């Protein structure tokens, strides 16, 4: 197979060499018409060395000449200027026409090479490239070139042949075009040889051309190799391109790769990148990672931004080479220096990926985003990310003015994250109806384009929690149904009996929880880990897998803590959970407070909790609360306020953190400011703009309105809570209690409706609340006869758990109500039956009733026996009553040691009465 020659191009007609070439290639008669030649023309075997002159990239070329003042030629080699002019014509001849024309005028005065035939051919090409065909004809330039036909160089003859064949700038003359093409071919011009070979393969070669196609192509390639000079890379790349794209020769990936590799070894960074592309694609080609990395390094060293980016990716991932983040950073940074879109974009994205682990990259990331957004072709995500950093750095309130125009640009460019962020910004600032409509339109677009539950939640929030008037119940129900329909609700609802789910009875629910867990949802992962902790279908390997499947982020740790707190009432377990959260707060930093709610803060840092800690631990806890408060986290401020002794102390806390509350305070910070600051209405409006649209938050806002004496605000937020409450029975019950507790008589029927609906869904807490209402004199539902029927029904149905709670309500009812119920039922028998069924609450109530009705020592002994059984069953109140009896000898001999045991247990489970009794009798010493 032939190899390329390193020699001077032939300077005579091929006819004189024909016999030699025929002998070298063992060619027979000319080939018949066919598609392509299966030619194996390999690179010459030489010792490689960096001799090539790498041309600038197109961006570098256009940037340089775009800044040229057109007065004098720049100080660079004339050959480079001529090369750049040719490239500008190829890039966009019309755009660069004036620049190239001015450069040619100056070249004719200062470049001895740019004259005569060379200048004439260039001026023709410039008019042609700009599409100025009429000017090309009227200028007579092509005719001037034709007038020199006998003295033209082969390359110029080839150019003239094309214009004559197509009738551009001169009258068409096919015969003369063929003659010039053949003459250029016999003169050894490689482009002419390839053109003639292509015509020959198509069966359309001029009659005067008789050189076999394979010989013509091989000679063209040999001529293109030519001498070992700085331009050899351009010529060798043309050969590689022929084998890559085909046309005359059959496409051959291996040969194309070998020519690119030959060119790269001579110093061409662009060719090195082509080698990399072959190894990355590995199409009809055997990939070699070592070669890929070697030539990727070469391409990156040639300052090719796309190669630098690819090598940076390799080093960032650590897949093909050892991971090296520092070098990846340097490469991304180098790729961005040219200011091109891809280099800046990739550097910005790299910095965002690594900012969580290395906060020092924040400043360069902002700088890169600013450079990106200054470009006319900037992507929308750059604007949304810059807006995000603006809000984070300056605060959600102080930075809103600068973030808003950035987000408008992100939306204009179609960035969906920008749509969501702009909607959030609009809704946070007391929106009117038109602004709410704009926000909903933005979010609806995201739903249509990308789907997902987040924009649906936000639309529902806009209709329910952000509306100035009454919440839109119909819209809320519609968007809740849409969210449930796609099955991606990431709820922290732990009301369902997680620990009793089985594959046989609850397969869909289990599958749903597992899907949430797989997506990384903190709530889903927490639920799934608890489901499999004791599930018979899970083994140890499965539990270990899920224990390590995701990193335990702050969000996931808090979600697990919230769930675990709902699954047990054991104070000891709660204390362990809260201690773990305090420890994580200390190690994770002040931002950890952003994941906490009021229940967690109270359990971690409540006054009674801190009182049990050492002085050192109390000081550390206060420091953590202070650090988080300084970041704008309101739950931490509320925690500090709980430790304050007077309203003045709490106001002082507000004054201390006023600046961060105004600039970057979260929802809870605005709540805190509304209670303790000097502008309650202002901060309440802010809180309403950014509050989570949840039942808990709506109730917090209603409580705030009540505390501030703003009845209209209180009623508004209770109405919002009413829209959200039907999602859970526990919320319906809580809202019903709020209606009744607030003395709003007109809301009594609504409260009963809520309780009835919760009862219909199987929540026994609702049954108990209804029972309490019907044994409360003066209320619209008062009906002691109905209460008697409910008790009897529960007893008959064996519903001992709920029966014990009915009995507790009966015991606390007024005397007239108890008398009426006892006239209808054998209450002593009912109390005894419930107690004998083993319910701890029923045992305690039965014991207390017996003690109250005791006629002698035997009755007291029996009563205390039932209290003891209830205490052993875990009833906190029974522990307290038994401890008190033992401490003071009520109904049984005094026994301070045993009293201490029961009172301590009750106190650990949260009984204030037990702690007070312990203090009074001096048992704590």
């Amino acid at each position: 197979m032939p190899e390329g020659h390193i020699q001077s191009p032939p300077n005579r007609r091929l006819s004189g060499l024909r016999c030699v070439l025929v002998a070298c290639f063992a060619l027979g008669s000319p080939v018949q018409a066919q598609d392509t030649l299966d030619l194996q023309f390999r690179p010459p075997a030489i010792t490689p060395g960096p001799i090539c002159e790498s041309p600038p990239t197109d961006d570098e070329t256009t940037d340089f000449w775009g800044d040229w003042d057109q007065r004098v030629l720049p100080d660079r080699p004339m050959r480079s200027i001529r090369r750049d002019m040719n490239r500008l014509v190829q890039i966009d001849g019309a755009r660069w026409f004036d620049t190239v024309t001015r450069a040619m005028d100056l070249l004719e005065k200062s470049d001895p090479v740019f004259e005569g035939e060379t200048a004439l051919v260039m001026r023709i090409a410039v008019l042609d490239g700009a599409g100025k065909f009429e000017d090309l004809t009227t200028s007579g330039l092509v005719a001037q070139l034709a007038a020199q036909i006998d003295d033209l160089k082969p390359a110029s003859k080839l150019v003239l042949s094309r214009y004559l064949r197509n009738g551009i700038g001169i009258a068409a003359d096919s015969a003369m075009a063929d003659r010039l093409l053949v003459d250029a071919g016999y003169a050894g011009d490689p482009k002419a040889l390839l053109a003639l070979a292509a015509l020959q393969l198509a069966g359309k070669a001029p009659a005067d051309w008789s050189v076999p196609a394979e010989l013509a192509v091989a000679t063209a390639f040999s001529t293109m190799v030519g001498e070992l000079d700085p331009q050899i890379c351009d010529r060798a790349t043309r050969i590689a391109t022929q084998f890559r794209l085909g046309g005359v020769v059959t496409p051959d990936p291996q040969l194309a790769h070998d020519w690119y590799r030959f060119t790269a070894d001579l110093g061409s960074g662009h060719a090195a990148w082509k080698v990399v592309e072959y190894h990355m694609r590995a199409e009809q080609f055997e990939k070699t990672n070592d070669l890929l990395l070697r030539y990727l390094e070469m391409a990156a060293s040639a300052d090719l931004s796309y190669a630098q980016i690819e090598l940076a990716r390799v080093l960032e991932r650590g897949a093909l080479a050892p991971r090296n983040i520092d070098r990846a950073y340097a490469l991304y940074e180098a790729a961005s220096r040219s200011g091109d879109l891809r280099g800046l974009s990739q550097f910005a994205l790299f910095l965002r990926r690594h900012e969580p682990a290395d906060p020092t990259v924040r400043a360069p990331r902002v700088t890169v985003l600013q450079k990106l957004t200054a470009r006319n072709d900037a992507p929308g995500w750059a604007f949304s990310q810059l807006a995000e950093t603006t809000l984070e750095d300056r605060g959600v309130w102080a930075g809103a003015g600068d973030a808003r125009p950035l987000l408008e640009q992100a939306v204009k460019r179609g960035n969906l994250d920008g749509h969501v962020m702009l909607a959030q910004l609009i809704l946070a600032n007391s929106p009117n109806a038109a602004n709410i409509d704009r926000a909903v339109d933005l979010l609806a677009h995201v739903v249509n384009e990308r789907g997902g539950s987040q924009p649906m939640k936000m639309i529902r929030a806009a209709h329910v929690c952000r509306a100035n008037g009454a919440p839109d119940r119909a819209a809320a129900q519609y968007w809740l149904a849409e969210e449930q329909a796609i099955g991606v609700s990431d709820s922290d609802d732990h009301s369902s009996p997680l620990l009793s789910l089985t594959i046989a009875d609850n397969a869909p629910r289990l599958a749903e929880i597992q899907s949430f867990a797989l997506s990384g949802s903190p709530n889903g992962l927490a639920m799934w880990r608890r489901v499999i902790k004791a599930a018979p279908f899970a083994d140890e390997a499965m539990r270990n897998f899920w224990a390590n499947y995701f990193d335990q982020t702050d969000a996931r740790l808090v979600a697990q803590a919230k769930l675990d707190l709902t699954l047990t009432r054991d104070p000891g377990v709660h204390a362990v959970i809260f201690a773990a959260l305090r420890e994580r707060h200390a190690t994770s930093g002040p931002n950890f407070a952003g994941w906490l709610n009021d229940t967690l803060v109270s359990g971690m840092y409540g006054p009674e909790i801190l009182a049990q800690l050492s002085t050192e631990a109390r000081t550390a806890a206060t420091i953590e609360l202070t650090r988080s408060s300084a970041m704008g986290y309101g739950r931490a401020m509320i925690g500090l306020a709980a430790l304050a002794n007077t309203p003045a102390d709490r106001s002082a806390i507000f004054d201390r953190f006023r600046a961060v509350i105004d600039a970057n305070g979260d929802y809870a910070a605005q709540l805190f400011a509304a209670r303790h600051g000097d502008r309650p209405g202002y901060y309440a409006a802010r809180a309403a703009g950014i509050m989570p649209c949840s039942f808990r938050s709506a109730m917090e806002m209603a409580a705030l309105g009540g505390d501030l004496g703003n009845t209209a605000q209180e009623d508004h937020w209770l109405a919002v809570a009413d829209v959200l409450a039907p999602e859970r029975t526990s919320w319906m019950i809580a809202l019903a209690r709020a209606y009744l507790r607030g003395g709003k008589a007109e809301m009594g029927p609504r409260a009963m409706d809520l309780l009835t609906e919760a009862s219909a869904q199987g929540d026994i807490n609702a049954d108990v609340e209804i029972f309490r209402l019907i044994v409360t004199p003066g209320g619209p539902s008062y009906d002691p006869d109905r209460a008697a029927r409910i008790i009897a029904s529960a007893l008959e149905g064996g519903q001992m758990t709920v029966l014990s709670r009915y009995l507790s309500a009966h015991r606390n009812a007024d005397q007239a109500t108890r008398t009426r119920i006892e006239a209808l039922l054998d209450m002593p028998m009912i109390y005894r039956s419930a107690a004998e069924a083993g319910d701890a609450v029923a045992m305690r109530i039965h014991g207390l009733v017996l003690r109250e009705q005791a006629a002698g020592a035997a009755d007291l002994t029996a009563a205390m026996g039932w209290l003891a059984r209830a205490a052993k069953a875990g009833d906190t109140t029974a522990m307290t009553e038994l401890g008190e009896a033992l401490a003071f000898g009520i109904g049984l001999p005094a026994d301070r040691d045993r009293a201490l045991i029961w009172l301590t247990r009750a106190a650990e489970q949260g009984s204030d009465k037990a702690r007070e009794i312990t203090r009074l009798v001096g048992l704590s010493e």
Side-chain angles (χ1 to χ4, degrees):
M1 299 300 176
E3 288 186 349
H5 305 306
I6 303 298
Q7 62 179 33
S8 298
N11 196 26
R12 51 182 173 165
R13 297 174 67 87
L14 275 177
S15 56
L17 300 175
R18 185 170 184 176
C19 62
V20 176
L21 291 173
V22 170
C24 289
F25 290 95
L27 298 173
S29 58
V31 298
Q32 301 298 314
Q34 62 185 75
D35 292 333
T36 57
L37 287 172
D38 295 330
L39 182 67
Q40 293 289 308
F41 188 84
R42 300 188 180 281
I46 62 171
T47 301
I51 65 170
C52 288
E53 180 182 272
S54 296
T57 66
D58 287 349
D59 286 341
E60 291 171 340
T61 301
T62 55
D63 288 347
F64 179 83
W65 290 101
D67 294 335
W68 179 45
D69 61 12
Q70 299 194 14
R71 288 183 294 182
V72 296
L73 288 173
D75 184 17
R76 54 172 49 190
M78 295 298 171
R79 177 171 49 80
S80 297
I81 295 174
R82 295 195 302 271
R83 177 202 62 207
D84 286 355
M85 294 307 103
N86 279 307
R87 186 59 192 150
L88 289 174
V89 171
Q90 294 170 358
I91 293 171
D92 190 339
R95 175 188 172 191
W96 295 101
F97 177 78
D98 292 338
T99 299
V100 175
T101 300
R102 175 59 179 158
M104 289 191 300
D105 292 341
L106 295 173
L107 280 169
E108 284 190 315
K109 296 176 183 178
S110 54
D111 182 4
V113 175
F114 194 78
E115 61 179 4
E117 180 183 332
T118 301
L120 185 58
V121 170
M122 181 63 184
R123 290 190 179 277
I124 291 171
V126 171
L127 287 168
D128 185 5
K132 297 179 178 292
F133 301 118
E134 289 188 12
D135 293 348
L136 185 59
T137 301
T138 57
S139 68
L141 294 177
V142 180
Q144 292 178 39
L145 189 65
Q148 306 173 36
I149 195 167
D150 291 332
D151 299 320
L152 293 178
K153 299 173 185 175
S156 299
K157 288 183 178 181
L158 179 62
V159 170
L160 181 58
S161 171
R162 183 172 70 83
Y163 288 108
L164 286 167
R165 189 177 306 282
N166 297 315
I168 298 175
I170 194 171
D173 188 339
S174 298
M176 181 57 71
D178 284 347
R179 173 194 157 191
L180 289 169
L181 177 60
V182 169
D183 199 38
Y186 279 125
D189 182 84
K191 291 183 179 179
L193 289 169
L194 292 174
L196 287 162
L199 290 171
Q200 191 170 10
L201 291 171
K204 299 178 181 179
D208 292 341
W209 182 252
S210 59
V211 177
E214 187 172 0
L215 173 59
V217 173
T219 303
F221 286 172
S222 295
T223 304
M224 289 161 70
V225 173
E227 297 178 352
L228 198 61
D229 58 23
Q231 286 75 50
I232 187 173
C233 286
D234 290 340
R235 301 192 299 270
T237 296
R238 287 160 57 190
I239 298 174
T241 303
Q242 287 288 333
F243 283 113
R244 177 170 64 88
L245 300 178
V248 178
V249 296
T250 302
D252 190 320
Q254 185 63 57
L255 277 175
H257 164 271
D258 292 348
W259 275 101
Y260 281 126
R261 183 178 174 186
F262 167 77
T263 310
D265 289 342
L266 294 176
S268 170
H270 295 282
W273 175 250
K274 287 295 183 183
V275 174
V276 171
E277 287 185 320
Y278 273 99
H279 286 274
M280 287 195 302
R281 288 196 302 263
E283 296 173 359
Q284 300 178 324
F285 183 85
E286 185 175 350
K287 173 181 177 179
T288 304
N289 287 338
D290 290 344
L291 283 179
L292 187 155
L293 287 173
R294 172 183 165 190
Y295 286 94
L296 184 55
E297 289 278 5
M298 291 174 61
S301 298
D303 290 332
L304 301 181
S305 61
Y306 41 85
Q308 291 168 329
I309 290 169
E310 190 59 39
L311 180 56
R313 285 174 174 168
V314 168
L315 295 172
E316 183 184 3
R317 292 191 298 260
L320 300 177
R323 198 164 187 257
N324 189 332
I325 298 300
D326 290 341
R327 186 158 180 238
Y329 181 107
L331 286 164
Y332 279 120
E333 184 179 33
S336 74
R337 288 194 196 112
S338 65
D340 75 301
L341 179 63
R342 187 161 183 258
L344 288 169
S345 297
Q346 293 300 321
F347 190 30
L349 294 172
F350 167 81
L351 293 173
R352 188 183 196 193
R353 288 193 295 272
H354 292 275
E355 185 178 327
D358 183 7
T360 63
V361 306
R362 175 59 159 237
R365 178 176 166 232
V366 171
T367 300
V368 174
L369 288 172
Q370 289 171 339
K371 290 180 180 179
L372 257 180
T373 53
R375 295 177 59 97
N376 292 329
D377 58 353
W381 61 260
F383 289 93
S384 62
Q385 287 192 19
L386 185 56
E388 181 181 51
T389 62
T390 299
L391 293 171
E392 290 173 351
D393 293 345
R394 296 193 55 200
V396 294
W397 304 104
D402 291 333
R404 176 71 181 261
L406 291 170
L407 293 173
E408 292 285 4
Q409 286 295 323
V411 168
K412 184 178 179 180
R413 287 164 167 77
N415 178 255
L416 297 181
D417 290 336
H419 281 68
V420 173
M421 292 175 66
L422 180 56
Q424 287 176 319
L425 210 60
I426 291 171
L427 294 173
N429 291 277
S430 302
N432 56 28
N435 287 335
I436 289 177
D437 288 344
R438 170 92 195 282
V440 169
D441 287 343
L442 289 167
L443 295 167
H445 177 73
V446 177
V447 171
N448 292 333
E449 291 293 319
R450 188 168 64 190
S453 63
Q454 183 201 19
M456 294 181 184
K457 290 178 185 290
M458 293 179 65
I459 293 175
R460 186 157 61 101
H463 288 299
V464 178
C465 296
R466 312 292 183 238
N468 291 319
D472 190 334
R473 187 181 297 271
Q477 291 173 342
Y478 172 81
W479 285 105
L480 177 61
E482 288 292 299
E483 184 184 343
Q484 292 172 339
I486 63 174
V488 294
S489 176
D490 183 18
S491 172
D492 63 351
D493 180 10
H494 311 313
S495 57
S496 59
L498 280 179
L499 303 185
S500 61
L501 296 176
T502 65
I503 292 178
D505 298 328
N506 311 103
R509 176 61 175 155
L510 288 170
E512 181 184 40
I513 295 172
Q514 187 183 47
S515 295
F516 295 154
L518 285 169
S519 72
S521 154
N523 294 324
L525 191 61
M527 287 190 286
W528 185 245
R529 284 173 172 169
R530 285 301 168 261
V531 164
I532 65 173
K533 186 174 182 179
F537 61 81
D539 56 20
E540 198 60 29
M542 183 179 185
R543 296 184 187 99
N544 289 336
F545 170 82
W546 281 101
N548 301 294
Y549 188 64
F550 286 106
D551 292 337
Q552 188 72 319
T553 63
D554 290 347
R556 293 183 183 126
L557 178 70
V558 170
Q560 194 72 64
K562 288 179 180 178
L563 174 60
D564 291 348
L565 287 169
T566 66
L567 295 179
T568 179
R569 298 179 63 184
D570 186 337
V573 174
H574 285 202
V576 170
I577 292 172
F578 289 130
L581 291 174
R582 282 196 302 273
E583 182 179 353
R584 182 59 170 258
H585 191 180
T587 57
S588 185
N591 287 326
F592 182 74
W595 300 106
L596 305 178
N597 60 25
D598 54 343
T599 301
L600 295 180
V601 170
S602 177
M604 293 165 64
Y605 298 115
E608 70 284 357
I609 301 298
L610 296 186
Q612 301 173 32
L613 303 180
S614 65
T615 302
E616 182 181 357
R618 283 198 301 273
T619 301
T622 304
I623 289 172
E624 294 306 326
L625 288 174
T626 303
R627 291 173 62 204
S628 293
S629 296
M631 298 289 289
Y633 293 113
R635 297 298 175 193
M637 298 175 199
I638 293 170
L640 287 175
L643 302 177
N645 295 320
T646 67
D649 292 337
R650 288 185 279 275
S651 293
I653 294 171
F654 165 76
D655 290 335
R656 180 179 182 183
F657 298 111
R658 176 198 290 266
V660 71
I661 292 172
D662 288 346
N664 197 39
D666 62 6
Y667 159 65
Q670 307 309 313
L671 275 183
F672 173 78
R675 292 184 185 279
H676 305 292
D678 51 3
R679 293 187 292 170
Y682 171 75
Y683 290 113
R686 275 184 159 203
I690 61 172
M691 62 171 278
C693 191
S694 65
F695 177 80
R696 175 193 290 269
S697 298
M699 293 298 287
E700 280 186 318
M701 292 297 294
L704 176 64
D707 292 345
L708 296 178
N710 190 331
T711 304
Q713 178 179 317
E714 180 183 17
D715 290 345
H716 170 78
W717 289 109
L718 285 174
V720 170
D722 204 312
V723 173
L724 300 170
E727 295 178 30
R728 299 190 196 172
T729 58
S730 59
W731 293 351
M732 289 187 269
I733 296 169
L735 181 58
R737 289 171 178 166
Y739 282 145
L740 298 168
R741 186 171 56 246
K744 300 177 183 296
E746 72 279 8
M747 298 309 296
R750 177 56 184 160
M752 182 57 76
D753 288 343
L754 288 166
L755 294 173
T756 302
E757 175 59 28
S759 174
Q761 294 184 31
D763 193 322
I764 65 171
N765 294 306
D767 296 331
V768 174
E769 289 296 326
I770 292 172
F771 186 87
R772 287 175 179 157
L773 286 178
I774 64 177
V775 298
T776 302
S781 305
Y782 181 64
D783 188 346
D785 288 10
R786 181 185 173 192
R789 293 194 297 272
I790 291 174
I791 291 174
S793 176
L795 178 63
E796 183 179 349
Q799 300 171 315
M800 295 304 171
T801 299
V802 71
L803 175 60
S804 66
R805 298 180 66 182
Y806 291 156
L807 296 179
S808 178
H810 165 264
R811 172 176 163 75
N812 294 323
D814 71 299
Q815 183 60 51
T817 301
R818 292 202 307 272
T819 299
R820 176 57 184 166
I821 293 174
E822 290 164 2
L824 298 172
L825 299 172
D826 183 355
M827 292 307 297
M829 180 275 294
I830 293 175
Y831 276 117
R832 185 175 61 255
S833 297
E836 290 173 347
D839 183 82
V841 175
M843 287 189 284
R844 181 239 303 166
I845 295 173
H846 183 47
L848 292 174
V849 170
L850 288 177
R851 189 173 71 178
E852 291 172 357
Q853 299 175 351
D859 291 339
L860 280 176
T861 300
M864 300 315 296
W866 282 108
L867 280 178
R869 290 177 63 181
K872 291 176 182 177
D875 185 80
T876 304
T877 303
M879 294 178 191
T880 304
E881 295 292 338
L882 181 60
E884 182 180 27
L886 288 166
F888 298 106
I890 302 172
L892 71 175
D895 187 334
R896 291 194 171 191
D897 291 338
R898 288 182 61 206
L900 176 60
I901 293 173
W902 288 112
L903 289 171
T904 301
R905 290 182 185 176
E908 288 175 349
Q909 294 191 20
S911 173
D912 292 333
K913 181 179 178 180
R915 279 193 288 269
E916 180 63 16
I917 295 171
T918 301
R919 185 186 67 80
L920 288 175
V921 299
L923 291 177
S924 59
E925 296 179 355

